[in-house]
Structures are given as structure tokens and as C-alpha cells.
């Protein structure tokens, strides 16, 4: 009965949902924590403005590994096959495996942070990745290849 939250004070807070109190703080980031993804019951991934992608062990509350990235992280999403898709501030997407190793290369979405939404969505079979933009457009990508499949404008 716990939930994690990232914050602008560089901390990840683990909250006890029964009491509404902070159970533990995780330290390791040096700037805002923007995105958190629970991979399983004992593994948490975090990223933010400090150009770091961090893997946490929740069974002993320790930092497992810090991996640098070239731009601040907007979003971390776990795919059904266990891979992680990371959206970066400069408009690139990267596909990572569970050991925080980049699979292939980053691919551009065509939008830097000023035009790219922090919200992303997948289809249930992971064949489409939707990136919303502030310009009223949705770009649809294949998350494995980075290929732009379609654009929807409104």
C-alpha cells in the first residue's frame, strides 16, 4: 500500500497510503524528478532534469545504477515486452532494456520540448507510440524502429 512521487526538490518520496505519511525518501537525483515507472514489486525507474536515468531496488531502498542520458527525461513508459521507452526533452525517444542498456539508437520525434507533450500512450500490443504536441498534432511511431507511421492534425 505504497505510492512513489517525484519532486522538484530532487527527492523520490515513498508514501504509505494507509496513513498518508511519507515512509521513505530516496536520494540520488540532483535536479527535478519528472518521471517514475514501477517495473515490478522491487524495481523502480526514475528520470528527470539532471540527465540521469536511475534504477532503484525497493526491497532494500537502494540505488542500483545511474545511467547518463543526453537530454532531460520527460517520460519513462514500460512496454509489455519489458523494454522501457524514454521520451527526452530534446524530442528524442530511446528504447532501453531492463538492465538500462540502450537498444539501438535514439530516434527523433520531430519536436523539441517546447512542442512535445509530456503525455504519451501505447496501444495494447506495443505497435504504436503516440506523442501529443502543443501544436495540435499527434505523431504515431513504431516504438521498436522509430519510424513515423502517421500524423493526426486537428
Amino acid at each position: 500500500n505504497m505510492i512513489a512521487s517525484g519532486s522538484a526538490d530532487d527527492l523520490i518520496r515513498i508514501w504509505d497510503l494507509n496513513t498518508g505519511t511519507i515512509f521513505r525518501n530516496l536520494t540520488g537525483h540532483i535536479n527535478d524528478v519528472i518521471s517514475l515507472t514501477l517495473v515490478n514489486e522491487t524495481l523502480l525507474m526514475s528520470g528527470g532534469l539532471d540527465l540521469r536515468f536511475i534504477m532503484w531496488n525497493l526491497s532494500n531502498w537502494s540505488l542500483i545504477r545511474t545511467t547518463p542520458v543526453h537530454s532531460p527525461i520527460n517520460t519513462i513508459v514500460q512496454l509489455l515486452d519489458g523494454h522501457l521507452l524514454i521520451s527526452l526533452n530534446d524530442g528524442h525517444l530511446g528504447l532501453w532494456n531492463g538492465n538500462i542498456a540502450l537498444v539501438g539508437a535514439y530516434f527523433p520525434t520531430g519536436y523539441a520540448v517546447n512542442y512535445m507533450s509530456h503525455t504519451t500512450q501505447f496501444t495494447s500490443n506495443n505497435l504504436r507510440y503516440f506523442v501529443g504536441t502543443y501544436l495540435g498534432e499527434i505523431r504515431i511511431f513504431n516504438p521498436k524502429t522509430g519510424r513515423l507511421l502517421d500524423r493526426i492534425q486537428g
Side-chain angles (χ1 to χ4, degrees):
N1 289 335
M2 294 185 195
I3 191 167
S5 66
S7 66
D9 63 3
D10 316 340
L11 294 175
I12 297 170
R13 289 183 174 81
I14 309 298
W15 298 82
D16 182 323
L17 291 176
N18 293 325
T19 65
T21 60
I22 296 171
F23 171 75
R24 181 168 309 266
N25 289 321
L26 302 179
T27 59
H29 283 281
I30 57 172
N31 208 327
D32 300 10
V33 180
I34 302 296
S35 186
L36 299 171
T37 296
L38 187 64
V39 175
N40 59 43
E41 290 182 11
T42 63
L43 191 62
L44 178 72
M45 302 296 193
S46 64
L49 299 183
D50 59 0
L51 307 177
R52 297 171 185 222
F53 182 45
I54 299 180
M55 179 187 289
W56 302 91
N57 181 337
L58 298 182
S59 62
N60 62 10
W61 309 107
S62 65
L63 187 153
I64 298 171
R65 182 178 308 132
T66 300
T67 302
V69 293
H70 72 268
S71 180
I73 294 173
N74 286 339
T75 309
I76 305 168
V77 179
Q78 185 176 22
L79 301 176
L80 295 175
D81 66 4
H83 284 90
L84 300 169
L85 193 69
I86 300 175
S87 163
L88 299 178
N89 244 0
D90 67 357
H92 283 82
L93 299 174
L95 186 65
W96 294 70
N97 67 23
N99 294 319
I100 312 185
L102 184 63
V103 177
Y106 284 97
F107 59 90
T109 62
Y111 289 106
V113 67
N114 293 338
Y115 302 108
M116 195 166 128
S117 170
H118 293 281
T119 303
T120 55
Q121 186 64 48
F122 287 91
T123 58
S124 60
N125 58 8
N126 288 332
L127 297 179
R128 304 277 189 279
Y129 179 72
F130 299 85
V131 177
T133 71
Y134 295 122
L135 299 177
E137 180 182 78
I138 296 173
R139 288 190 171 195
I140 304 169
F141 295 90
N142 178 318
K144 302 291 184 175
T145 66
R147 189 173 138 247
L148 178 64
L149 300 173
D150 201 359
R151 290 183 180 142
I152 302 170
Q153 294 182 338

